């Protein structure tokens, strides 16, 4: 009995049947199921007859699907999956661990461009299988306990189907990479395939992708146009620069003036910072003398305190002396407090002076670094650098004697070298003036050439303007084409939306009709099974009745034969009374 009488939905055409979706495995590992063996014995369970009838009706005409509950089939499918996933994950039979199964599912989904979300892995997997049209169904309970004997066969069927699908996707990607690119033809073919398959989401995604690619191509064309315009401007600027550039003599004179100005600036900077260093050193010497004086005062006060303590210890004590001493002690304590306050103030001042010294040293080091950088730029021909000695007590000790014995002669030599170079440059400038006079004549000759070149330049500018107009026209034409393509894509999108609505409505009606047909088929199958069982029971009862009847008739026949034989013996024996 064929199930369903209507045309199948276009969307389901994307999902192959069980036999088509699963390729043929090893023929030695997958036995062919004999459907007639279900009727070779009497079975009182009607459900088994119904399931056998349904399997035969589904597999009629396309061959039987692999039975993933069979151990040999599981081993063959597991070899296919492990060969594809190696070496990332290896599923070890007969019941792999739940972690390995989930890792294999994640890898397969990523290979077919359906990366799952860790927080909703089960929902993403079920949704991906539904979108891809997988013929095998999987439940959430099987995903929660994947390594159990009950849930492993459906999970293995899904893993095997995803592996075959991923292999097909890889092969298609490699063939597409080797083939020459034709964006419009590829887009048209893929969109029509998705339309025939009823996958409106894929059609919409493909339309968006092609729109983005077309937009990027238009932007690339505009960028190329702008780059050409920029190159034209640069060439024009280079021509102007070549025609209006300074002469060699002017460039040498400007370089000489810049070098002389750098030398004067460096000498002025060195003189200024040397004056500042001398002032800071003098202030530092004054502060050191003041600190030594404060230290001597502190020592003197301490010696006076010791003498007073000795006098107090040697004096006789009475009431008046105690009172006088008490008053003197108060005065002394007041003087001590004042001295401590003055000491604290001096210490604060000393800390401030130390901080100022540190700041000044840092400034001196910064100035020395700037002087060293100026020396590097000046390149006097000596290896000299200012090194600040923080322990020095005079400018000579802090800066070192090398700046007088090394730097000053080097600067004088550098100045003499600059003077010599200036003299040589002057002589060279005289030679250059003579050469310039000779070049003036050549320049007059070249002006005629320049005029011809100017005419050629004008012609090239005209051609560039013509190219600019052509580029502008091409840009406007490309923009119009892009706008037209966008309108066409929007029209196609609206048509696809209407077709999607009609397809969804047709899908709902077809699913309802399919459910009704399945229920009706199940009822008819169960009724046929019951009739078959009743027929088998009636045949058995009739067989028993016939066997009993035959036995009874045979017994009566034997009795009749015996009776006939006895009658014959009686008739054949002679009568003694006759």
């Amino acid at each position: 009995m064929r199930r369903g009488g209507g045309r199948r939905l276009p969307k389901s055409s994307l999902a192959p049947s069980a036999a088509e979706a699963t390729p043929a495995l090893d023929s030695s590992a997958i036995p062919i199921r004999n459907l007639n063996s279900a009727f070779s014995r009497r079975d009182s369970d009607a459900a088994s007859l119904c399931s056998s009838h349904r399997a035969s009706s589904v597999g009629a005409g396309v061959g039987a699907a692999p039975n993933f509950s069979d151990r040999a089939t599981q081993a063959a499918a597991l070899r296919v999956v492990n060969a594809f996933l190696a070496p990332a994950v290896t599923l070890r039979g007969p019941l792999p661990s739940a972690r390995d199964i989930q890792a294999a599912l994640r890898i397969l989904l990523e290979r077919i461009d359906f990366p799952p979300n860790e927080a909703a892995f089960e929902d993403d997997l079920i949704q991906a299988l539904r979108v891809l049209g997988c013929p095998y169904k999987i439940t959430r309970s099987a995903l929660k306990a994947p390594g159990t004997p009950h849930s492993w066969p459906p999970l293995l069927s899904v893993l095997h189907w995803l592996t075959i699908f991923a292999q097909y996707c890889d092969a298609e990607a490699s063939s597409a990479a080797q083939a020459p690119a034709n964006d419009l033809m590829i887009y048209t073919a893929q969109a029509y395939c998705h339309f025939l398959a009823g996958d409106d989401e894929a059609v919409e995604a493909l339309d968006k992708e092609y729109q983005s690619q077309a937009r990027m191509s238009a932007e690339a064309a505009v960028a190329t146009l702008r780059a050409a315009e920029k190159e034209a401007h640069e060439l024009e600027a280079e021509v102007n620069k070549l025609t209006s550039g300074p002469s060699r003599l002017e460039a040498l004179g400007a370089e000489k003036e810049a070098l002389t100005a750098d030398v004067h600036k460096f000498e002025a900077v060195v003189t200024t910072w040397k004056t500042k260093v001398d002032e800071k050193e003098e202030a530092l010497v004054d502060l050191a003398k003041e600190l030594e004086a404060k230290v001597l005062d502190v020592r003197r006060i301490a010696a006076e305190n010791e003498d007073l303590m000795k006098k107090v210890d040697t004096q006789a004590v009475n009431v008046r002396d105690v009172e006088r001493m008490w008053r003197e002690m108060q005065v002394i304590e007041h003087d001590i407090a004042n001295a401590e306050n003055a000491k604290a103030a001096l210490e604060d001042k000393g800390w401030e002076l130390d901080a100022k010294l540190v700041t000044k040293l840092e400034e001196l080091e910064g100035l020395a670094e700037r002087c060293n950088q100026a020396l590097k730029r000046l390149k006097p021909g000596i290896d000299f650098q200012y090194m600040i000695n923080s322990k020095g007590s005079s400018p000579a000790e802090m800066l070192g004697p090398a700046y007088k014995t090394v730097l000053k002669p080097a600067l004088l030599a550098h100045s003499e070298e600059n003077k010599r170079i200036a003299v040589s440059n002057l002589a060279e400038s005289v030679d250059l003036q003579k050469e310039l006079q000779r070049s003036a004549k050549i320049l007059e000759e070249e002006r005629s050439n320049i005029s011809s070149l100017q005419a050629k330049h004008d012609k090239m500018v005209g051609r560039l303007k013509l190219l600019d107009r052509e580029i502008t026209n091409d840009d406007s034409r490309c923009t119009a084409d892009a706008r037209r393509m966008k309108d066409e894509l929007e029209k196609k999108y609206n048509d696809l939306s209407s077709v999607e609505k009609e397809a969804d409505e047709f899908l709902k009606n077809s699913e309802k009709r399919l459910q009704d047909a399945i229920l009706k088929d199940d009822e008819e199958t169960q009724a046929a099974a019951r009739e078959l069982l009743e027929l088998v029971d009636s045949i058995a009862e009739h067989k028993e009745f016939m066997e009993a009847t035959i036995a009874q008739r045979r017994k009566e026949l034997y009795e009749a034969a015996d009776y006939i034989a006895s009658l014959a013996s009686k008739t054949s024996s002679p009568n003694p009374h006759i």
Side-chain angles (χ1 to χ4, degrees), residues 277 281 360-373 375-376 383-404 406-407:
V277 169
E281 287 176 353
K360 296 301 180 181
L361 285 174
E362 292 177 353
E363 292 178 357
L364 289 174
E365 290 177 354
L367 292 174
E369 183 66 25
R370 290 175 62 183
C371 291
N372 293 330
Q373 292 178 359
L375 283 173
K376 289 180 180 179
D383 188 9
F384 176 81
Q385 288 185 352
Y386 279 105
M387 300 295 292
I388 302 299
N389 185 11
S390 60
K391 296 181 180 181
S393 59
S394 64
E397 291 179 358
M398 292 185 72
L399 293 177
Y403 79 97
K404 290 183 178 180
V406 177
L407 182 60

Side-chain angles (χ1 to χ4, degrees), residues 166-421:
Q167 290 176 352
Y168 171 75
C169 291
D170 293 343
E172 186 178 6
S174 62
S175 62
Q178 295 175 0
N182 190 351
D183 296 338
L184 182 59
M185 185 63 69
I186 293 172
Y187 161 73
T188 305
Q190 291 181 354
Y192 191 68
C193 289
H194 290 311
F195 172 74
L196 291 179
D199 195 349
D200 299 328
E201 295 178 356
V203 173
E204 184 178 357
L206 186 63
D207 291 340
K208 291 181 179 178
E209 181 180 0
Y210 187 76
Q211 288 177 4
S212 63
Q213 289 180 357
R215 192 178 298 109
M216 290 173 63
S217 300
E219 291 176 356
V222 173
T224 305
L225 173 62
R226 292 176 179 174
E229 292 178 352
K230 183 178 179 181
E231 186 176 0
H233 290 305
E234 289 176 355
L235 292 173
E236 186 176 358
E238 186 175 358
V239 170
N240 295 329
K241 182 179 179 181
L242 291 174
T243 56
S244 63
S247 63
R248 184 180 176 185
L249 179 62
E250 293 176 354
L252 291 174
E255 186 177 358
K256 176 185 175 183
E257 292 176 357
L259 290 173
T260 307
D262 290 337
V263 170
H264 292 316
K265 288 180 181 178
F266 179 76
E267 291 176 352
V269 169
V270 170
T271 304
T272 304
W273 286 109
K274 184 177 179 181
T275 305
K276 292 182 179 180
V277 169
D278 294 338
E279 293 176 355
K280 297 300 180 182
E281 287 176 353
E282 292 176 357
L284 183 62
V285 171
D286 295 337
L287 292 173
K289 292 179 179 179
E290 186 177 355
L291 181 60
E292 290 176 357
K294 297 296 181 183
V295 171
L296 293 175
D297 291 338
V298 170
R299 290 177 181 175
R300 181 177 55 77
I301 292 170
E304 291 177 356
N305 288 333
E306 290 178 359
D307 294 337
L308 290 174
M309 292 297 294
K310 290 178 181 179
K311 288 180 181 180
V312 168
D313 291 336
T314 56
Q315 287 179 357
V317 180
N318 54 25
V319 177
R320 291 181 179 178
D321 292 336
V322 168
E323 291 177 355
R324 181 176 56 79
M325 291 173 64
W326 179 252
R327 288 191 297 271
E328 290 178 356
M329 285 292 292
Q330 288 180 350
V331 172
I332 291 170
E333 288 177 356
H334 184 265
D335 295 338
I336 290 171
N338 293 332
E340 288 179 353
N341 292 330
K343 181 181 178 182
L346 289 174
E347 288 179 353
D348 294 338
K349 190 173 182 181
W351 284 110
E352 291 177 359
L353 291 174
D354 291 338
K356 289 181 179 180
L357 287 174
V358 171
T359 304
K360 296 301 180 181
L361 285 174
E362 292 177 353
E363 292 178 357
L364 289 174
E365 290 177 354
L367 292 174
E369 183 66 25
R370 290 175 62 183
C371 291
N372 293 330
Q373 292 178 359
L375 283 173
K376 289 180 180 179
R377 289 194 301 269
L378 188 59
K379 297 179 181 180
I382 58 171
D383 188 9
F384 176 81
Q385 288 185 352
Y386 279 105
M387 300 295 292
I388 302 299
N389 185 11
S390 60
K391 296 181 180 181
S393 59
S394 64
E397 291 179 358
M398 292 185 72
L399 293 177
Y403 79 97
K404 290 183 178 180
T405 60
V406 177
L407 182 60
K408 284 186 177 180
L411 290 176
L412 293 175
H414 189 67
S415 177
E416 294 294 332
E417 181 68 19
N418 286 333
K419 290 179 181 178
R420 186 181 61 79
I421 291 172

